[in-house]
Amino acid sequence: MSKVKLAAKRWWFIMPIIFISYSLAYVDRSNFSFASAAGINDDLGITKGMSSLLGALFFLGYFFFQIPGTIYAERRSVKKLVFWCLLLWGGFASLTGMVNSIPLLAVIRFMLGIVEAAVMPALLVYISNWFTQSERSRANTFLILGNPVTVLWMSVLSGYLIHAFGWREMFIFEGIPAVIWAVFWWFLVKDKPEQVNWLSKEEKQALADALAKEQENIKAVANYGQAFRSRNVILLCLQYFTWSIGVYGFVLWLPSILRAGKSMGMVEAGWLSSAPYLAATIAMIVVSWASDKMQNRKLFIWPLLLISAIAFFGSWAIGQHNFWLSYGLLVVAGAAMYAPYGPFFAIIPEMLPKNVSGGAMALINSLGALGSFFGSWFVGYLNGSTGSPAASFIFMAVSLLASVGLTLMVKPEKTATPLEAH
């Protein structure tokens, strides 16, 4: 059975499901930024400092439950885990539109983080069961495209929903699709290739042989403890922490930053907020394809993060003197920040064997969640305390520069399939 025919089947059956699932997760985590720009603070009596904390609480819940959820996915079932997560996060997202007190809102934001915590690493584990090394950057990118593509249309939709109904109705309407999708997920998904009936026995065996052969080229690691202490995993945790500060400071506060720079309504802010994510979608597809083609992961990570940092510095330097040029640099910053995700998450399964790679991805993602918590809280705090986004641009740029340096420190494992082409 030819590899091309097998690969085509897997892409068409697996990737739409993965993309939709992660897209829905992203709707329910990033629409809080629109409620912040649309009056939730005034309605509930939330101070600027408290608003930053509420926006960030999601990531605190996300941080604590990454590893336990991923170990369950790796050892038991991705299907069952994601099914319950879909039901619960859709419910909590809709409940956000019904709250009347700050403590209840804080609890819901934290719980939303908990039930979404394992989804991304669980889906990365799922991808590693279905796609080979030469495909994995592209497969990861189709998963993570759920992030910018969702923010792209969600920015426009949220702007219209708030304009037509209000922030409460926006939360309620945007939580419902996750609950509906949980039913589709349950009937469409199988954990392993050998469980499906749309692959022949020969196709299943060919995929199993290819994945087994990859494991032969990776140095054995006895347990999670040994994997978590490895130099590269520690460096990637720190790298993803600093990178996520920039990403989520940007995602959660872009609508507020735009409205501070230019007088505009929520619909216009929604359209302008969507442009960086359109650019990011294109950049992610191109970069993941090139990364798989060249089998060089680092080359498609650090230069793009450097471009993003420079764009943030440029946007800060221009300030409010030229809104459109400053905005154009924010579009560049957003696209360059998102572009390296596919190559980045392809690194771990190429460095570590299957028995520990899922846990290592969860550890790295949990440190990213901690960076997201800190970034979203501190960017909101800086915007509120200084009255302008200038300080946050510098903060995000410096964080991304730190991420560049940490990426350069990651060394390829000495295997038959190195991270970098020499």
Side-chain angles (χ1 to χ4, degrees), residues 115-131:
V115 297
E116 283 193 28
V119 173
M120 183 178 171
L123 292 176
L124 288 168
V125 168
Y126 189 63
I127 283 171
S128 71
N129 292 334
W130 287 88
F131 295 94

Side-chain angles (χ1 to χ4, degrees), residues 183-249:
V183 179
F184 287 92
W185 167 273
W186 184 258
F187 288 106
L188 291 171
V189 169
K190 303 290 184 187
D191 280 303
K192 300 288 175 61
E194 57 264 30
Q195 296 170 337
V196 301
N197 57 16
W198 45 265
L199 288 176
S200 68
K201 285 176 68 174
E202 293 79 10
E203 288 170 327
K204 292 175 186 178
Q205 191 58 51
L207 178 57
D209 291 346
L211 293 172
K213 188 169 181 60
E214 286 179 11
Q215 294 299 303
E216 294 171 6
N217 298 321
I218 300 174
K219 188 169 65 177
V221 176
N223 51 44
Y224 288 121
Q226 188 181 341
F228 293 174
R229 290 192 300 271
S230 76
R231 179 180 182 275
N232 278 349
V233 170
I234 292 168
L235 284 171
L236 288 170
C237 283
L238 295 172
Q239 189 270 8
Y240 200 45
F241 175 86
T242 52
W243 179 5
S244 297
I245 286 175
V247 171
Y248 282 92

Side-chain angles (χ1 to χ4, degrees), residues 34-35 37-38 155 158-160 162-163 255 259 264-271:
F34 284 86
S155 297
S158 296
Y160 277 110
I162 289 170
H163 179 73
R259 293 192 82 189
M264 66 178 77
M266 280 307 302
V267 172
E268 188 181 355
W271 278 105

Side-chain angles (χ1 to χ4, degrees), residues 228-411:
F228 293 174
R229 290 192 300 271
S230 76
R231 179 180 182 275
N232 278 349
V233 170
I234 292 168
L235 284 171
L236 288 170
C237 283
L238 295 172
Q239 189 270 8
Y240 200 45
F241 175 86
T242 52
W243 179 5
S244 297
I245 286 175
V247 171
Y248 282 92
F250 181 84
V251 169
L252 271 178
W253 299 106
L254 182 60
S256 298
I257 287 170
L258 291 176
R259 293 192 82 189
K262 182 178 183 288
S263 178
M264 66 178 77
M266 280 307 302
V267 172
E268 188 181 355
W271 278 105
L272 289 178
S273 295
S274 69
Y277 303 106
L278 176 60
T281 300
I282 297 164
M284 287 174 75
I285 293 168
V286 172
V287 165
S288 66
W289 176 85
S291 169
D292 275 346
K293 194 81 172 169
M294 295 178 66
Q295 285 293 295
N296 186 332
R297 307 306 187 192
K298 279 171 61 175
L299 182 64
F300 293 94
I301 299 172
W302 70 264
L304 288 152
L305 296 178
L306 181 60
I307 289 168
S308 187
I310 292 168
F312 272 127
F313 275 125
S315 193
W316 162 75
I318 293 163
Q320 296 183 4
H321 300 300
N322 187 328
F323 173 82
W324 291 109
L325 182 55
S326 180
Y327 168 72
L329 286 169
L330 285 180
V331 173
V332 171
M337 259 192 314
Y338 274 97
Y341 273 119
F344 180 80
F345 282 107
I347 287 178
I348 288 296
E350 294 169 12
M351 278 197 325
L352 295 172
K354 197 168 178 60
N355 64 310
V356 294
S357 61
M361 285 191 287
L363 179 68
I364 291 165
N365 209 40
S366 68
L367 265 290
L370 202 59
S372 304
F373 169 79
F374 182 67
S376 55
W377 168 72
F378 199 63
V379 167
Y381 170 78
L382 288 173
N383 290 345
S385 61
T386 64
S388 99
S392 17
F393 287 167
I394 297 173
F395 172 62
M396 289 187 279
V398 170
S399 297
L400 290 166
L401 286 177
S403 186
V404 169
L406 289 161
T407 308
L408 290 169
M409 291 168 67
V410 175
K411 301 295 182 189

Side-chain angles (χ1 to χ4, degrees), residues 16-95:
I17 295 169
I18 282 178
F19 175 81
I20 292 169
S21 302
Y22 194 58
S23 293
L24 292 172
Y26 223 78
V27 169
D28 296 332
R29 86 175 56 166
S30 54
N31 57 10
F32 188 80
S33 61
F34 284 86
S36 296
I40 187 174
N41 298 346
D42 293 336
D43 290 351
L44 297 182
I46 300 170
T47 64
K48 288 182 177 177
M50 179 58 73
S51 178
S52 301
L53 183 60
L54 287 168
L57 267 176
F58 169 91
F59 300 106
L60 204 54
Y62 199 82
F63 167 72
F64 283 117
F65 286 85
Q66 286 271 304
I67 294 173
T70 307
I71 291 172
Y72 178 89
E74 206 168 41
R75 295 181 177 175
R76 301 274 183 105
S77 172
V78 172
K79 175 180 175 173
K80 290 178 183 175
L81 178 71
V82 175
F83 170 74
W84 285 108
C85 288
L86 279 161
L87 286 177
L88 289 169
W89 94 55
F92 282 124
S94 290
L95 277 175

